[in-house]
Amino acid sequence: MRLLGNIGRRTGQRLLSSVPALLGVVVLTFMLMRVLPGDPAVFFASGPSAGQEEIDNLRREMGLDRPIPEQLARYLLDIARGNLGRSLTTGQSVLTDLRQRLPASLELTLSALVIALGLALPLGIAAALRPNSIVDHAVRFVCTVGVCVPTFVSGLLLIYVFYYLLGMAPDPTGRIDIFAANPPDITGFLLVDFLIAGDMEGFQAAASQLVLPAFTMALFVLAPLARMTRASMLAVLGSDFIRTARSLGLSRRRVILTYALRNALLPVITITGIVFSTMLGANVLVEKVFSWPGVASYALDALLASDYAPVQGFVLLMASIFVMVNLAVDILYGIADPRASMS
Amino acid sequence: MKFGRRQVLQGATGAFGLPALAREASAQSRAETLRQVTGNVINTLDPTMPGATRESFGLSMNVYDRLVSFGRKPVEGGMAFDHGAIRGELAERYEASPDGLRFTFHLRPDAKWHDGTPVTAEDVKWSLDRHVSARSLAAPQLSTGSLTKPEQFRIAGPMTVEVLLEKPDRLALSNLCVPYAFMINSKLAKRHATADDPWAQAWLKENTAGSGAYMVERFRPGEQVILRRNDNWKGGADGKLPFFRRVIAQTVPEAATRGNLIERGDADLSIDLQASDIPAMLQRGRVKVVSIPQTNGFTHIAMNTRMAPFDNVKVRQAIAAALPYQDMFQASIFGQGRPLFGADWVESPPDGDFPQPMPLSTDPAKAQRLLSEAGLPDGFETSFAFSAGLAATSEPMAALIKESLERIGIRVEIQKMPDAQFNTMQAEKKLAFFSDGATAWLPATDYYFRLYFTRDQRWNFSSFNDPEMNALTQKAQFERDPAEYERMARRMIAILAEKAPELLLWQPNHDAVMARNIEGYTYWFHRQVDFRDLRRV
């Protein structure tokens, strides 16, 4: 109970201390968007007959005719009220868009992360157990290939082979077959929603849509995870307590999984946190290739159109997620290694 | 969070553990469903909203009716719209008064809105009033046809509406065919109007109140739109219903994926594949490609006539003589289109149609001589700009321009700009020398020239200001004598050839890639798919 209270108090403190950082991010993105060349009013008033008057009207409507400090003050006030503005690209409020699209990105990123960890941990351990062996070299090769091939290349390649040539994968457009029915919108995570609705057929359909994009992303982040596992395992395997454990005649399995791996996990957790945050923001190419309706491709489209509100909203969302992930990583530290406290 | 009726129904069946039933209900016959994939998005259901994408215009044509519609005619490669043959759509028929000042529209007596209520003259009047009064993209467009104020629209009977003009504008009727002139169920829209928003603009962005051939079943901005056929539709050319009962328009950002989908037979149609992929697709023979020159558009090179050295007509003529048109045509669009260069007329074009091939040909010696006459025998330095969105076609073109101009001493720096930046610089007239595409919804010669070569406005790319051209475009708009109009049109084209503010290059093909059993594809002025034309055989 004390421990929980402790975690709660510290969590509160951490969240509070992240407010200035978030504020900084908001102000910075706000300024950055306005420094970039390209006027959203001109871009969006590009109908066949839109003239200067339409551009001015649009600018007035978006508040772009006011001085920048006033625009910033209004924007901050809007955020405080939970209003992130309206996207001209989709015509909806940014909050609605993000709320609809974030589950798609999270679902994809989390699945990719699970796949990546499921592959990287065994590979890393195997490599660490026999450094410089064939196994080690093979793992190094797989990792290098994974990190070298850009995701849009591996994505298109996977589509070409598994969809176009073999016809094994469903058509790579979005989260669910376009002709199939959607599950009730409960959490926004299709897999979870299908489970709640008890629709196993739908669950399977959604999962099969997820496989290719998730593997594409997992391949890309395999390298940092596997390499970090290997390095960290090597260091731990050479330490005194492992020698002691071995000399006491404990089973090999117990030595490696219980004693070595648990101690080696701290840096892996750190890197996993970082990898997760990067994936969420950087999976724009995967989202584009697989028509995944996620937040990253949304932000890219908005950026290309100089659509201020969605980009600012996206950056704020990413910053908040980063704060949460860091927090989660710190809590996981405490579980993996009780000596590491959360201060 | 908003729920459509459909989602709620699905939710309900799902909750009762009957998901298979829901799926069966939605799984209509695949053959009667058309699936279009596109790289772009539909961002509003009201096409007059600032920022509406071109795809939104296409959707609106299918969901709403207009009073009248352009016809269709066979052209090289397939079918295209015909702006010379205007037929009734929501109106059963129309009459023009002999002086051209009054149009009378007789509404279809059996026309119904999607909610089943009858279409009335009040609805039409309200819709037209909205398009000239509300702050939207419609008002400036309709003003090009002298439709500017509500007083011009009069209810002449329960099913009759009159449109009155002060001058016999040649484009008044055509303007009622464009996506902006859509007819709205005013009783339904008014229910969602507020004091701040008397024209229900906020509501119509996300909802529809039309009478068109299709109804919106689901609209997810930026992802997909699903349409269901309106079986009460009466506005077709022959009174027939469209073939497809259901249409899915889905956003698939990656062009290669769109191509794969169609080749595999999972999708039926795409109009925005990469031009470079199409020859390989044709070779594999699994799809059909309908290639029609974009008859109402042109790709051009513009020179800012108010910026040195392009303010000198000799410099512009020198560049016109220096460019390797045929090579550019091949390198940029693989010769897939209709050339607008290489004509051999001198003083005056053979007819008044526009765009038509211009007397542009490559003659480096002449270019060198003109440059000397301009007082720049050693050439000069300049930059050539294009937008990143058009890079696939503009980049090879730019390289050839740089190479050929270097031979006459003009040193060119190539500038590839992000679209938003390019558009901004273009609107602010800060670009000296650039390439872009242009289309006009209403392909009338005077309209092109008024839009692209007169006045201080955004689409006058070259900031051209020629007194004779200004006078001609103003006069031609109200000219009722066809012979006289033809004379003026030919003169406008001759001025363009002589003064060279812009060099017309070509009309690129509009490539629609589709399943082999799809028939009836028609190229429309808005460059989008009209689902009503299509059928599966």
Side-chain angles (χ1 to χ4, degrees), chain A residues 37-52 54-55 57-61 86-93 96-97 99-101 152 156 159-160 163-185 194 196-203 205 285 287-293 297 301 303-306, chain B residues 1-3 6-7 10-12 14-15 17 19-20 22-23 26-27 30 33 35 37 41-44 49-53 57 135-138 140-142 144 180 205-206 218-224 226 246 248 250-254 256-257 259-267 284 286 418-421 423-424 427-428 439 441 447 451-452 456-459:
Chain A
D39 182 337
V42 174
F43 191 79
F44 284 104
S46 57
S49 57
Q52 193 57 43
E54 283 64 47
I55 295 176
N57 278 341
L58 200 58
R59 204 172 277 153
R60 207 161 27 244
E61 209 170 282
R86 187 168 268 278
S87 158
L88 285 170
T89 329
T90 62
Q92 296 207 100
S93 96
T96 316
D97 277 341
R99 201 160 42 196
Q100 277 177 1
R101 284 166 171 267
F152 64 92
L156 283 178
I159 292 178
Y160 185 71
Y163 169 66
Y164 185 77
L165 288 183
L166 301 179
M168 284 162 62
D171 67 50
T173 53
R175 307 173 70 189
I176 188 163
D177 182 3
I178 189 94
F179 298 105
N182 271 36
D185 198 350
F194 273 125
I196 295 177
D199 179 356
M200 287 323 286
E201 208 179 315
F203 179 84
L285 290 172
E287 287 186 5
K288 281 281 174 200
V289 168
F290 290 93
S291 319
W292 203 259
S297 58
D301 289 342
L303 186 66
L304 289 178
S306 274
Chain B
M1 191 104 289
K2 287 212 334 258
F3 289 95
R6 193 178 150 74
Q7 278 153 309
Q10 278 162 7
R23 194 167 306 123
S26 74
R30 175 71 181 83
T33 302
R35 181 182 181 197
V37 283
V41 301
I42 291 170
N43 59 354
T44 166
M49 186 190 92
T53 57
F57 301 149
R135 189 184 283 173
S136 76
L137 297 175
Q141 172 65 43
L142 294 193
T144 66
Y180 292 156
K205 249 186 239 182
E206 288 163 26
R218 183 159 73 191
F219 172 47
R220 288 197 167 197
E223 289 176 44
Q224 49 170 271
I226 298 181
R246 201 153 178 261
I248 299 172
Q250 189 187 12
T251 298
V252 175
E254 184 60 45
T257 308
N260 284 345
L261 285 167
I262 296 182
E263 290 207 280
R264 292 273 314 173
D266 286 332
R284 285 194 290 270
R286 289 186 204 160
D419 290 24
Q421 185 189 354
N423 290 351
T424 308
E428 291 172 355
T439 47
W441 277 357
Y447 181 74
L451 187 58
Y452 288 112
D456 228 351
Q457 44 94 18
R458 179 170 179 192
W459 307 108

Side-chain angles (χ1 to χ4, degrees), chain B residues 383 385-389 415-423 425 431:
Chain B
S383 56
F386 57 87
S387 71
Q415 287 183 336
K416 173 169 149 185
M417 298 179 182
D419 290 24
Q421 185 189 354
F422 180 83
N423 290 351
M425 299 267 290
L431 298 175

Side-chain angles (χ1 to χ4, degrees), chain A residues 3-239:
Chain A
L3 184 73
L4 277 183
N6 209 4
I7 290 181
R9 194 163 46 83
R10 282 170 191 277
T11 308
Q13 277 174 358
R14 275 293 281 280
L15 287 180
L16 212 60
S17 66
S18 66
V19 169
L22 288 182
L23 197 68
V25 167
V26 168
V27 174
L28 193 73
T29 348
F30 184 89
M31 299 312 288
L32 213 62
M33 284 307 289
R34 272 144 190 87
V35 171
L36 284 177
D39 182 337
V42 174
F43 191 79
F44 284 104
S46 57
S49 57
Q52 193 57 43
E53 200 186 328
E54 283 64 47
I55 295 176
D56 290 343
N57 278 341
L58 200 58
R59 204 172 277 153
R60 207 161 27 244
E61 209 170 282
M62 295 195 288
L64 296 176
D65 57 334
R66 299 172 211 272
I68 293 219
E70 193 191 330
Q71 288 183 36
L72 178 60
R74 279 170 182 274
Y75 183 62
L76 290 177
L77 208 67
D78 277 347
I79 291 186
R81 290 200 206 109
N83 175 7
L84 292 179
R86 187 168 268 278
S87 158
L88 285 170
T89 329
T90 62
Q92 296 207 100
S93 96
V94 172
L95 204 64
T96 316
D97 277 341
L98 290 178
R99 201 160 42 196
Q100 277 177 1
R101 284 166 171 267
L102 185 63
S105 285
L106 281 179
E107 193 169 42
L108 174 61
T109 311
L110 284 172
S111 325
L113 196 66
V114 168
I115 295 175
L117 280 176
L119 290 173
L121 286 181
L123 285 179
I125 295 169
L129 288 178
R130 290 187 182 72
N132 294 324
S133 65
I134 291 286
V135 178
D136 190 16
H137 285 305
V139 170
R140 188 174 294 139
F141 175 76
V142 169
C143 290
T144 315
V145 169
V147 83
C148 281
V149 182
T151 44
F152 64 92
V153 175
S154 48
L156 283 178
L157 213 64
L158 287 178
I159 292 178
Y160 185 71
V161 173
F162 288 100
Y163 169 66
Y164 185 77
L165 288 183
L166 301 179
M168 284 162 62
D171 67 50
T173 53
R175 307 173 70 189
I176 188 163
D177 182 3
I178 189 94
F179 298 105
N182 271 36
D185 198 350
I186 303 167
T187 60
F189 291 85
L190 285 189
L191 294 182
V192 179
D193 288 352
F194 273 125
L195 279 184
I196 295 177
D199 179 356
M200 287 323 286
E201 208 179 315
F203 179 84
Q204 212 172 10
S208 62
Q209 292 285 126
L210 192 62
V211 169
L212 284 193
F215 257 97
T216 310
M217 266 170 89
L219 271 184
F220 193 63
V221 296
L222 202 56
L225 294 175
R227 300 304 293 167
M228 187 53 83
T229 311
R230 176 184 179 272
S232 164
M233 275 300 277
L234 270 182
V236 172
L237 284 173
S239 57

